[in-house]
């Protein structure tokens, strides 16, 4: 292999496990470290006056409007706590439409009249800020020269400190909105969706006589998959550094065929990384719970305990940031792209979703009593209605250029949204629809709200990994989300769609009761009809089978197989109504998001196309031409020694090189033309279509020939680290 590659591989293989960055000794317990850098309720209780704490806690717990009169007291206590923990700066931490997080740091120190400095942090500084918003995506809401944007404190998520040897920073989770008041982030619509879901779910709870619950919250537990690649090898791969995935690369002789990596022993160096990540996450109050090897070599997973949706979304963004940061300390690059390696298992982010009321009752728990059974069936009906009726809107929560490489590729669910319930629960619903339910051990045929469901354990049946939306006993697992994506979009639309369905159900039940029916009679009339209408979305079979596409089409389920096809429907009236109905997004905000997502797709594909051309010109073609030259010399020398046409083997090799090099050059010309044609198009939707149909197609042809050449060119000439080295050097 090339000398540079050889040196990088040697360093990768011989890198010793890194000692954890923050080691508090064997006696330090994880629970003692939990929330160490969080200004949470327990810390507030100790540091705030009783009346101030009571008012702030009510804002955090019940969603009441923040009392501005207490802001200065809270800010001063927060500042003292932060400085005691080594903080020198504070920042309003927000989630612009880039898909990443953003922050601008300000020092606590301010000049004093005597030429000295003082530590200052007022209530005004805590509550709001004004970052320059001109460079953040707005989708036409603002002109470029209109730079004003605002951040506002979100007290429902704890303030936290990111420690660093050069000085810690106090992070204040905030909203981000424009001068004219539109949301420029994903937090504002997420909070609106949570509020809408709560309002509609509370109507159902009140119908069932629940007077104690004050609100309902969406609960989320996002599983995070990722790859680790040695940074010495990644440094030789511009595609990994700039695109997060390999644009070139032939398959390794050994990949995941033996299935020996999944749940295997974690390499020592990776374990050291994981332990450091978990220690930092626990200190930030993030309940990291599970870690293990994933299916592909070099692939791993981290999963937390579920939390309220808004907090879980913030925590997942923090987790991704922490993993990238900690990977560098351990000599790795953390890849969060959905498909870093062609032909190898990709990475997703299963979004475990449920609903819980303020008393801690999981509304998707089937329960064991008649009242709980009937209530569970109503919420189950709402979820089925949401997925069936608003499948296109839900698909928009999983789009992305990276996720297009993964969905439906025999490693992730298909783009067709369906619900997996398992045989037992499906049988229960079939019985309700027919009016002849399965017999219970306690009684005869089941009547909704009168007798109990058959016992439903948490694991109702075997898992169906091909289902995009699976019921797993007391929650739904939305498996289509991409590993690099924020989980805010999918939870915004999921909350919104279920809120619409609950609204429909509550309105009908309330009307029936107002007309004189009792609740049980109203349910007996509504639920069979509701389940029958939405059973087409229930599918317990193999989502990878080609026959499912035809069956799904027959059932009327949409199949938006790629990002551009899905985004075309963002402005459809029925899709927009999911967001408009309960004020989750305005029409202007919806159209701006459609524009931003299409622009992001175009830019991503164009960057990858230009990057591929650059790599081919500098790191592939010169080496291939040199190999061709050596092959030609071998043909000439062999003939000179042996005479005649006896150089058949050498000539065959030369011809293979020549054929692929010529084809690669033609494909590169095609790719260059596709890029220039795409960027010249007016209209972002048409540009996105051209990127999908032109640039990606040309990139595929380039890769086909480049990967063939990788298997032909002398290893001493090939400068790009190969899949075997990237995937197995840990």
């Amino acid at each position: 292999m090339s000398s540079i590659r050889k040196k990088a591989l040697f360093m990768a293989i011989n890198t010793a496990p890194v000692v954890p960055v923050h080691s508090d000794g064997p006696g330090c317990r994880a629970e003692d470290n939990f929330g160490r850098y969080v200004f949470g309720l327990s810390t507030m209780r100790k540091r705030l006056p009783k009346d101030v704490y009571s008012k702030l806690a009510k804002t955090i717990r019940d969603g009441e409007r923040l009392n501005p009169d207490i802001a200065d007291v809270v800010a001063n206590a927060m500042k003292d706590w932060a400085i005691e923990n080594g903080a020198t700066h504070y920042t309003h931490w927000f989630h612009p439409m880039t898909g990443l997080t953003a922050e601008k740091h300000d020092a606590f120190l301010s000049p004093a009249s005597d030429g000295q400095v003082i530590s200052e942090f007022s209530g005004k500084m805590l509550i709001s800020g004004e970052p320059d918003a001109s460079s953040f995506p707005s989708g036409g809401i603002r002109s470029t020269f209109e730079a004003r944007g605002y951040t506002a404190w979100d007290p429902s998520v704890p303030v936290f400190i990111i420690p660093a040897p050069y000085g810690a920073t106090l992070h204040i989770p905030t909203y981000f909105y424009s001068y004219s008041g539109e949301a420029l982030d994903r937090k504002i619509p997420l909070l609106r969706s949570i509020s809408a879901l709560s309002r509609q779910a509370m109507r159902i709870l009140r119908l069932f006589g629940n007077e104690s619950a004050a609100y309902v919250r969406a609960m989320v537990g996002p599983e995070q998959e990722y790859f680790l690649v040695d940074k010495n090898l990644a440094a030789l791969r511009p595609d990994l550094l700039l695109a997060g995935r390999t644009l070139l690369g032939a398959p390794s002789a050994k990949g995941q065929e033996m299935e020996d990596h999944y749940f295997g022993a974690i390499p020592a160096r990776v374990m050291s990384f994981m332990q450091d990540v978990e220690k930092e996450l626990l200190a930030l109050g993030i309940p990291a719970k599970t870690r293990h090897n994933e299916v592909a070599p070099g692939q791993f997973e981290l999963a937390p305990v579920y939390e309220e949706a808004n907090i879980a979304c913030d925590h997942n963004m923090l987790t991704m940031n922490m993993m990238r940061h900690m990977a560098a300390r351990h000599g790795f690059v953390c890849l969060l792209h959905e498909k870093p390696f062609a032909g190898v298992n990709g990475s997703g982010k299963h979004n475990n979703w449920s609903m819980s009321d303020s008393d801690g009752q999981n509304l998707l728990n089937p329960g064991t009593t008649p009242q709980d059974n009937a209530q569970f069936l109503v919420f189950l009906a709402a979820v089925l209605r949401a997925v069936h009726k608003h499948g296109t809107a839900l698909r928009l929560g999983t789009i992305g250029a990276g996720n297009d490489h993964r969905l439906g590729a025999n490693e992730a669910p298909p783009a067709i949204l369906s619900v997996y319930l398992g045989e037992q629960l499906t049988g229960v619903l079939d019985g309700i629809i027919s009016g002849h339910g399965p017999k219970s051990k306690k009684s005869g045929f089941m009547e909704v709200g009168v007798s109990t469901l058959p016992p439903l354990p948490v694991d109702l049946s075997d898992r169906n990994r091909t289902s995009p939306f699976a019921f797993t006993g007391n929650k739904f697992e939305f498996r289509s989300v991409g590993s690099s994506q924020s989980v805010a979009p999918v939870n915004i639309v999921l909350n919104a769609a279920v809120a619409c369905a609950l609204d429909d159900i509550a309105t009908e039940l309330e009307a029936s009761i107002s007309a004189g029916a009792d609740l049980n009679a109203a349910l007996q009339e509504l639920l069979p009809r509701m389940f029958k209408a939405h059973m087409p979305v229930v599918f317990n079979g193999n989502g990878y089978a080609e026959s499912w596409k035809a069956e799904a089409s027959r059932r009327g389920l949409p199949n938006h197989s790629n990002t551009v096809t899905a985004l075309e429907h963002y402005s459809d009236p029925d899709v927009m109504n999911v967001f408009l109905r309960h004020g989750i997004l305005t029409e202007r905000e919806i159209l701006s998001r459609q524009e931003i997502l299409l622009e992001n797709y175009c830019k991503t594909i164009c960057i990858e196309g230009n990057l591929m051309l650059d790599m081919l010109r500098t790191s592939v073609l010169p080496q291939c031409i040199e190999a061709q030259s050596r092959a030609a010399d071998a043909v000439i020398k062999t003939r000179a020694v042996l005479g005649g046409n006896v150089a058949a083997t050498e000539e065959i090799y030369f011809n293979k090189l020549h054929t692929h090099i010529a084809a690669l050059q033609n494909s590169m010309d095609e790719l260059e033309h596709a890029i220039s044609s795409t960027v010249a198009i007016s209209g972002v939707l048409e540009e996105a279509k051209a990127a999908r149909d032109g640039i990606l197609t040309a990139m595929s042809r380039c890769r086909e020939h480049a990967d063939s050449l990788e298997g032909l060119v002398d290893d001493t000439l090939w400068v790009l680290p190969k899949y075997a080295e990237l995937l197995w050097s840990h």
Side-chain angles (χ1 to χ4, degrees):
M1 66 179 69
S2 68
S3 59
I4 295 176
R5 227 176 88 214
K6 185 183 292 185
K7 181 178 179 181
L9 185 58
F10 176 83
M11 293 175 66
I13 293 173
N14 290 279
T15 300
V18 179
V19 176
V21 176
H22 298 289
S23 179
D24 298 316
C28 180
R29 300 186 306 166
E31 53 265 38
D32 295 333
N33 190 46
F34 188 77
R36 174 182 174 186
Y37 293 125
V38 177
F39 194 73
L41 288 172
S42 60
T43 303
M44 293 178 192
R45 189 183 296 109
K46 296 173 184 175
R47 291 178 172 268
L48 294 174
K50 188 174 181 179
D51 61 326
V52 172
Y53 168 77
S54 177
K55 292 176 182 177
L56 183 58
K58 201 159 187 62
T59 295
I60 295 169
R61 286 172 174 160
D62 301 336
E64 291 191 2
R65 188 178 295 275
L66 178 69
N67 186 337
D69 296 338
I70 67 173
D72 281 332
V73 178
V74 174
N76 190 60
M78 203 177 284
K79 176 202 69 177
D80 291 344
W81 169 79
I83 291 174
E84 289 172 18
N85 281 279
T88 58
H89 290 68
Y90 70 92
T91 180
H92 277 193
W93 184 72
F94 56 102
H95 304 238
M97 289 294 294
T98 57
L100 302 171
T101 58
E103 52 196 68
K104 179 187 75 171
H105 295 200
D106 288 300
F108 285 120
L109 297 181
S110 296
S113 57
D114 59 357
Q116 301 298 308
V117 292
I118 58 172
S119 295
E120 183 182 22
F121 186 57
S122 66
K124 182 180 179 181
M125 296 173 180
L126 166 64
I127 289 175
S128 64
E130 186 191 345
D132 183 343
S134 61
S135 294
F136 291 112
S138 71
I141 284 180
R142 299 170 7 270
S143 300
T144 303
F145 62 86
E146 295 172 323
R148 196 178 297 277
Y150 297 99
T151 52
W153 178 30
D154 173 14
S156 66
V157 179
V159 170
F160 58 92
I161 289 172
I162 297 292
Y166 42 80
T169 302
L170 178 69
H171 284 61
I172 304 162
T174 55
Y175 321 122
F176 183 44
Y177 57 98
S178 72
Y179 181 73
S180 49
E182 289 93 357
L184 294 177
D185 67 355
R186 286 163 169 161
K187 179 180 278 286
I188 292 173
L190 176 62
L191 288 166
R192 291 171 180 167
S193 75
I194 292 169
S195 178
L197 180 70
S198 179
R199 289 194 303 271
Q200 303 311 316
M202 286 300 299
R203 291 171 65 190
I204 300 295
L205 292 184
R206 294 293 187 251
L207 286 171
F208 278 91
N210 184 330
E211 298 296 333
S212 64
Y215 56 79
V216 169
R217 292 286 185 264
M219 308 299 291
V220 173
E223 304 169 22
Q224 182 67 58
E225 295 178 349
Y226 60 97
F227 280 82
L228 291 177
V229 173
D230 186 272
K231 69 177 182 180
N232 298 298
L233 297 170
L236 301 178
R237 297 283 316 212
D239 47 1
L240 286 183
L241 297 181
L242 299 181
R245 74 178 182 104
T246 53
L247 302 178
L248 308 169
S252 168
K254 181 184 179 183
Q256 62 192 57
E257 300 87 351
M258 301 301 293
E259 301 177 340
D260 52 352
H261 190 260
Y262 193 50
F263 280 20
I266 301 172
R269 185 173 163 208
V270 174
M271 179 65 82
S272 181
F273 158 81
M274 288 178 167
Q275 288 173 332
D276 267 6
V277 168
E278 289 175 5
K279 184 178 285 290
E280 295 291 344
L281 294 181
L282 289 172
L284 292 170
I286 301 174
K289 175 73 172 176
T290 303
R291 64 190 184 203
H292 62 82
N293 287 4
E294 253 299 334
V295 172
Q299 186 185 31
F300 309 94
E301 180 177 304
L302 182 153
V305 178
Y306 67 90
E307 304 175 280
E308 291 188 13
N310 186 32
I311 297 175
C313 290
D314 276 20
H315 280 176
N316 183 247
M317 296 301 289
L318 264 176
T319 297
M320 291 193 289
N321 288 345
M322 183 61 67
M323 288 165 61
R324 292 188 189 101
H325 175 71
M326 196 61 71
R329 291 189 184 181
H330 288 258
F332 290 122
V333 170
C334 179
L335 302 178
L336 296 172
H337 194 282
E338 286 75 19
K339 196 70 171 178
F341 301 96
V344 176
N345 195 65
S347 295
K349 186 176 334 199
H350 294 182
N351 187 84
N352 295 279
W353 181 90
S354 63
M355 294 171 281
S356 179
D357 66 20
S358 58
D359 296 327
Q361 178 188 15
N362 181 353
L363 304 182
L364 290 178
N365 187 342
T368 57
T369 64
Q371 186 82 348
D372 291 340
N373 292 166
Q375 181 177 290
F376 162 73
L377 290 172
V378 169
F379 282 103
L380 177 63
V383 175
L384 292 182
R385 180 176 177 82
V387 180
H388 188 208
K389 190 174 181 182
H390 306 301
T392 295
L394 286 165
R395 174 70 175 93
L396 291 168
T398 66
I399 57 168
N403 216 19
D404 282 357
H405 296 290
R406 167 181 165 265
L407 290 182
N410 287 350
E411 67 205 46
I416 304 166
L417 279 179
S418 63
V419 178
Y420 173 77
L421 295 179
E423 291 182 8
Q424 185 177 11
L425 189 51
T426 301
V428 170
L429 300 194
D430 286 339
I432 291 173
I433 293 168
S434 67
H436 299 288
K439 287 189 175 182
S440 166
K441 293 180 180 179
K442 297 182 180 179
S443 63
F445 290 114
M446 179 180 63
E447 291 185 21
V448 177
V450 176
S451 59
T452 60
L453 288 170
L456 297 178
V458 173
D459 297 317
L460 295 179
S461 62
D462 198 2
R463 294 188 65 184
N464 185 332
R465 62 188 297 272
T466 71
S467 175
F469 200 83
F471 184 67
T472 55
N474 58 7
K475 59 182 172 58
F476 280 94
E477 190 174 2
F478 202 166
R479 296 170 175 161
S480 302
V481 186
S483 55
S484 69
Q485 298 172 331
S486 163
V487 293
V490 72
N491 286 293
I492 291 169
V493 68
L494 184 53
N495 295 341
V498 174
C500 289
L502 287 170
D503 186 3
D504 294 339
I505 293 172
T507 298
E508 185 170 339
L509 289 175
E510 288 165 351
S512 296
I513 292 171
S514 295
D518 63 23
L519 178 61
N520 186 59
L523 290 173
Q524 294 283 15
E525 195 283 325
L526 178 142
L527 286 177
R529 174 168 42 84
M530 187 72 67
F531 285 132
K532 182 177 181 179
H534 301 299
M535 280 302 282
V537 81
V538 175
F539 178 64
N540 296 328
N542 181 7
Y544 294 156
E546 283 297 314
S547 59
W548 167 232
K549 293 180 182 179
E551 171 65 15
S553 177
R554 187 187 66 77
R555 296 186 185 193
L557 303 181
N559 182 10
H560 304 304
S561 60
N562 60 76
T563 290
V564 180
T565 300
L567 280 173
E568 284 188 81
H569 296 278
Y570 213 142
S571 52
D572 289 357
D574 57 336
V575 173
M576 293 181 70
N577 188 55
V578 177
F579 304 102
L580 292 171
R581 182 169 169 180
H582 295 290
I584 291 162
L585 289 170
T586 66
E587 182 174 344
R588 197 174 181 206
E589 288 170 338
I590 293 170
L591 296 177
S592 75
R593 275 159 170 72
Q594 184 183 39
E595 183 91 0
I596 289 168
L597 292 167
L598 285 167
E599 283 182 352
N600 182 271
Y601 180 88
C602 293
K603 290 174 181 177
T604 299
I605 302 303
C606 285
I607 288 170
E608 290 185 350
N610 282 311
L611 179 56
M612 174 178 272
L613 281 175
D614 183 59
M615 291 177 66
L616 291 171
R617 288 169 181 151
T618 60
S619 300
V620 175
L621 264 183
Q623 290 73 20
C624 293
I625 292 171
E626 173 62 22
Q628 186 181 39
S629 176
R630 292 184 184 183
D633 287 343
V635 172
I636 293 170
K637 290 176 181 177
T638 302
R639 284 179 177 170
V641 173
L642 301 176
N645 294 319
V646 296
T649 301
E650 290 79 0
E651 193 166 351
I652 291 172
Y653 175 62
F654 172 85
N655 287 336
K656 284 183 179 179
L657 284 171
H658 176 74
T659 299
H660 282 296
I661 290 172
L664 176 59
Q665 290 173 319
N666 289 335
S667 298
M668 289 170 64
D669 291 340
E670 179 187 345
L671 176 55
E672 190 168 18
H673 175 72
I675 294 171
S676 60
S677 299
T678 297
V679 298
I681 291 174
S682 175
V684 68
L685 177 57
E686 294 307 313
E687 186 182 352
K689 289 179 179 178
R692 175 195 64 192
D693 300 334
I695 297 177
L696 286 178
T697 300
M699 287 177 67
S700 179
R701 292 197 184 103
C702 286
R703 177 163 193 162
E704 178 185 349
H705 297 295
D707 290 357
S708 295
L709 286 164
E710 181 182 321
L712 293 171
V713 172
D714 190 330
D715 202 39
T716 61
L717 294 175
W718 200 262
V719 297
L720 298 174
K722 298 184 176 183
Y723 271 23
E725 297 156 4
L726 295 168
L727 291 169
W728 292 99
S729 301
H730 291 88

